Amino acid sequence: MATGQIFSRTTQALFYNYKQLPIQRMLDFDFLCGRETPSVAGIINPGSEGFQKLFFGQEEIAIPVHSSIEAASSAHPTADVFINFASFRSAAASSMAALKQPTIRVVAIIAEGVPESDTKQLIAYARANNKVVLGPATVGGIQAGAFKIGDTAGTLDNIINCKLYRPGSVGFVSKSGGMSNELYNTIARVTNGIYEGIAIGGDVFPGSTLSDHVLRFNNIPQVKMIVVLGELGGRDEYSLVEALKEGKIHKPVVAWVSGTCARLFKSEVQFGHAGAKSGGELESAQAKNQALKEAGAVVPTSYEAFETAIKETFDKLAEEGKITPVPDIKPPAIPEDLSIAIKSGKVRAPTHIISTISDDRGDEPCYAGVPMSTIIERGFNVGDVISLLWFKRSLPRYCTQFIEICVMLCADHGPCVSGAHNTIVTARAGKDLVSSLVSGLLTIGPRFGGAIDDAARYFKDAYDRGLSPYEFVEGMKRKGIRVPGIGHRIKSRDNRDKRVQLLQQYAHNNFPSVKYMEYAVQVENYTLSKANNLVLNVDGAIGSLFLDLLSGSGMFTKPEIDEIVDIGYLNGLFVLARSIGLIGHTFDQKRLKQPLYRHPWEDVLYTK
């Protein structure tokens, strides 16, 4: 268990099982406190990935969504709080997975009814690894002016009324989340406010105890006094009694254990929480209050006198000069949501598109954060611009030059290939440039220029799995799949594609590794033993070499490389390159004023 502060103004959390309202309340609290960065770093929604749009003040932000706890923890190593909104059925498993992440220090479990055996395992693991568990059945916790969990402290109006947007001097811990809100108001009325407030949860076995947090508060210099609200049932309060008797707590403690009315009932009564039922005299509210009083805590005669006891303790500390006045500040106004703003005449509208590659706001456009003036001043070339807009990073010069070589070599392959033929026919029909270009681009696919991604995907899978060329090729044959990147209609063993040779030569001279290309060549050697035209074609060369570029540059993770291939980045190179040639064919036909094309009869086989 931590021995001091567990939250700060820079604390960030991972939020499990997306809930819009609690997250928005956290972000609104961040803005209210003047935080520079949102407290929610990422959202975990099993099986989903992408972004969720939420508001940070007036600004709309995109928070990443991850499909697993491991992926989120890896992507956000500074997020050390895990807020678990899973149901009681899965809360234990997901909480344990979070506790096992080295970056996670605090886990808050919101669900009620988590099996006690599972909770005990969580507690044991957390204590063995010096981590903090809040809950189960907790609303969370708050550090005033810094960080709050989910729905802690309720609405913004309540937070403002309780002055939780700035730190006070009182450490508060309770079993009940609902009663916490009441005590935040009480404490704000008679003191300078809360510094930190924790609801440990109302289940029989809470992940951390009242005394755990009181001992923490004792070690936080900004906390000058401590307020504790317990309840009948269980014996948690007695660990606090022992700490007081042993002199471990040096700050005034004002405590009350609720449930004194239980003696008015003839039979045992369950008071809301699973743990709020008396199992004997020692677990009664009266016995606990008496024990706390005898141990040195300030214990009022009733709940109604609790506020007075808090005030008197605070005033005494102030008179002794142990508490300095906290200057009051006016928090910023939080923009209203659309449904409310429509009624009041104030509106904030959500955006409809997320963009991460360019920004045209401000004085000049930026590509992946690089201003246009920098691109020009540093002499960036087309390959550099592609690396910024496609890969969102500046690749080394040998990489960007390779991209340019691919574009140049694939720009055109004569008027007879299907794409150029379609563009020529469309241009001669009098259609405009865009129509002519698109008619050619639409032919790109598995049979024409669209095999780069497939070549990269199959070569990578085969190489990574350690398949020999024989195993790879014969395996594809059994599946009825032609090997992408192998075979040509006019090129052969004795008439190699010059483009492939140029790409291979450049890679050998500039790439740190060409393992995928060498594997593709081994595959080619095997396929040539079957037929003279089963050579490595330009699709296969670009596909294999781009794998070498991505893996050899050291700038991409394995998941990023897989995503690049899956999305279609490599086919994008062919589309970009061939667009240059198709535009050229359009202009060529229009410049030559060619008439409408009609295919000659003699080139058609008419048959029944």
Side-chain angles (χ1 to χ4, degrees):
M1 177 72 186
T3 57
Q5 206 161 284
I6 56 175
F7 306 132
S8 73
R9 284 180 62 84
T10 58
T11 295
Q12 287 194 299
L14 298 176
F15 197 103
Y16 188 90
N17 198 15
Y18 176 70
K19 306 288 183 186
Q20 192 269 341
L21 185 57
I23 297 178
Q24 188 59 65
R25 283 181 168 177
M26 289 179 67
L27 298 176
D28 285 344
F29 178 77
D30 297 341
F31 184 77
L32 200 67
C33 298
R35 280 184 57 132
E36 293 182 0
T37 55
S39 60
V40 180
I43 298 166
I44 304 165
N45 239 16
S48 300
E49 291 182 341
F51 293 88
Q52 279 290 347
K53 298 187 295 180
L54 293 131
F55 282 103
F56 186 60
Q58 186 64 49
E59 179 187 2
E60 196 174 45
I61 60 174
I63 297 181
V65 177
H66 304 276
S67 61
S68 70
I69 294 170
E70 294 76 13
S73 299
S74 176
H76 309 285
T78 59
D80 58 6
V81 177
F82 182 82
I83 302 172
N84 194 346
F85 267 73
S87 71
F88 71 91
R89 297 177 185 86
S90 60
S94 49
S95 295
M96 182 61 80
L99 285 171
K100 290 182 177 179
Q101 301 305 308
T103 55
I104 298 297
R105 295 187 307 110
V106 180
V107 172
I109 307 170
I110 310 301
E112 296 183 44
V114 177
E116 292 177 3
S117 59
D118 292 339
T119 302
K120 289 178 181 178
Q121 292 180 27
L122 293 172
I123 294 170
Y125 187 91
R127 291 193 179 279
N129 291 274
N130 196 33
K131 300 194 177 188
V132 179
V133 174
L134 304 179
T138 181
V139 72
I142 185 169
Q143 183 175 320
F147 175 82
K148 89 178 186 88
I149 292 173
D151 293 315
T152 302
T155 65
L156 280 176
D157 288 341
N158 189 62
I159 288 171
I160 293 171
N161 289 336
C162 298
K163 299 182 179 179
L164 293 170
Y165 50 84
R166 53 89 174 135
S169 302
V170 180
F172 170 72
V173 61
S174 167
K175 288 187 175 180
S176 168
M179 287 303 295
S180 294
N181 286 351
E182 180 65 29
L183 263 293
Y184 292 150
N185 273 284
T186 299
I187 292 169
R189 282 196 300 268
V190 296
T191 73
N192 64 6
I194 289 286
Y195 183 79
E196 182 180 326
I198 295 291
I200 65 170
D203 276 5
V204 177
F205 297 100
S208 51
T209 65
L210 296 173
S211 60
D212 286 336
H213 294 285
V214 170
L215 290 169
R216 278 200 311 106
F217 295 157
N218 190 64
N219 295 327
I220 300 174
Q222 297 91 332
V223 174
K224 305 301 182 183
M225 63 176 286
I226 301 166
V227 176
V228 179
L229 180 63
E231 61 185 22
L232 84 165
R235 301 193 178 187
D236 188 10
E237 288 80 357
Y238 288 104
S239 63
L240 177 55
V241 169
E242 292 303 313
L244 285 165
K245 287 182 176 180
E246 292 170 7
K248 294 179 179 179
I249 302 166
H250 311 115
K251 298 175 182 179
V253 176
V254 183
W256 176 254
V257 178
S258 60
T260 53
C261 66
R263 286 183 175 177
L264 300 176
F265 299 93
K266 293 182 179 179
S267 59
E268 183 176 283
V269 177
Q270 176 84 43
F271 285 81
H273 294 151
K277 61 180 180 180
S278 180
E281 178 58 27
L282 277 175
E283 295 185 14
S284 69
Q286 285 86 348
K288 292 182 179 181
N289 280 325
Q290 185 61 34
L292 286 165
K293 185 175 183 179
E294 291 174 357
V298 177
V299 180
T301 57
S302 66
Y303 180 82
E304 288 73 17
F306 200 18
E307 179 173 335
T308 301
I310 295 169
K311 182 180 187 304
E312 290 174 352
T313 303
F314 179 84
D315 289 346
K316 183 180 178 182
L317 290 171
E319 289 172 5
E320 294 171 353
K322 295 180 180 178
I323 292 180
T324 56
V326 175
D328 209 355
I329 57 174
K330 185 178 181 180
I334 301 292
E336 296 174 333
D337 287 326
L338 189 60
S339 59
I340 301 172
I342 289 174
K343 298 177 182 178
S344 62
K346 300 175 183 177
V347 176
R348 64 179 183 186
T351 59
H352 300 287
I353 294 176
I354 299 175
S355 176
T356 64
I357 64 170
S358 62
D359 190 343
D360 60 348
R361 300 168 298 175
D363 295 333
E364 58 179 322
C366 294
Y367 292 166
V370 180
M372 192 64 64
S373 57
T374 301
I375 292 173
I376 301 302
E377 290 165 3
R378 294 185 181 178
F380 280 26
N381 51 39
V382 172
D384 293 311
V385 171
I386 292 173
S387 76
L388 290 174
L389 292 177
W390 290 18
F391 303 103
K392 295 173 59 177
R393 65 203 75 186
S394 290
L395 296 175
R397 182 69 186 108
Y398 77 87
C399 295
T400 59
Q401 190 169 353
F402 176 77
I403 292 173
E404 292 181 353
I405 291 172
C406 291
V407 171
M408 289 187 289
L409 294 181
C410 295
D412 193 53
H413 202 208
C416 298
V417 295
S418 58
H421 180 81
N422 272 21
T423 290
I424 290 170
V425 170
T426 306
R428 290 178 61 166
K431 301 290 284 185
D432 59 277
L433 171 62
V434 174
S435 300
S436 301
L437 170 62
V438 169
S439 69
L441 291 176
L442 289 175
T443 64
I444 295 176
R447 298 182 179 180
F448 171 62
I452 301 178
D453 284 316
D454 284 340
R457 188 177 298 112
Y458 283 110
F459 282 144
K460 184 176 187 300
D461 177 70
Y463 178 87
D464 291 350
R465 290 196 293 135
L467 298 182
S468 68
Y470 168 82
E471 292 170 329
F472 171 47
V473 174
E474 296 304 322
M476 295 286 281
K477 182 179 179 181
R478 286 193 295 272
K479 296 175 185 176
I481 303 174
R482 294 181 179 180
V483 178
I486 294 290
H488 204 284
R489 292 183 66 86
I490 60 174
K491 298 299 180 181
S492 64
R493 182 199 304 272
D494 302 316
N495 180 25
R496 297 299 181 98
D497 192 331
K498 187 66 175 178
R499 297 174 300 174
V500 172
Q501 294 174 334
L502 291 170
L503 289 168
Q504 291 175 328
Q505 180 180 349
Y506 180 85
H508 274 300
N509 294 336
N510 295 278
F511 282 22
S513 170
V514 288
K515 60 183 183 180
Y516 289 106
M517 185 196 74
E518 289 175 348
Y519 183 76
V521 170
Q522 293 173 19
V523 172
E524 179 193 47
N525 290 336
Y526 178 77
T527 56
L528 282 174
S529 68
K530 294 175 171 290
N532 205 37
N533 70 327
L534 294 182
V535 294
L536 182 68
N537 59 37
V538 73
D539 290 347
I542 293 176
S544 59
L545 286 171
F546 228 96
L547 291 173
D548 288 324
L549 182 152
L550 296 171
S551 61
S553 68
M555 299 182 70
F556 300 88
T557 64
K558 184 180 182 300
E560 285 177 327
I561 294 173
D562 292 336
E563 183 180 58
I564 286 169
V565 175
D566 289 340
I567 287 176
Y569 277 49
L570 309 189
N571 280 350
L573 269 181
F574 186 87
V575 172
L576 173 65
R578 192 50 56 96
S579 294
I580 298 171
L582 297 179
I583 291 171
H585 284 295
T586 301
F587 291 156
D588 190 44
Q589 297 302 306
K590 291 185 177 295
R591 184 173 54 249
L592 295 171
K593 298 180 174 58
Q594 290 298 287
L596 179 67
Y597 176 82
R598 179 180 173 85
H599 204 72
W601 290 340
E602 58 267 31
D603 197 36
V604 177
L605 172 62
Y606 293 94
T607 185
K608 294 181 181 179

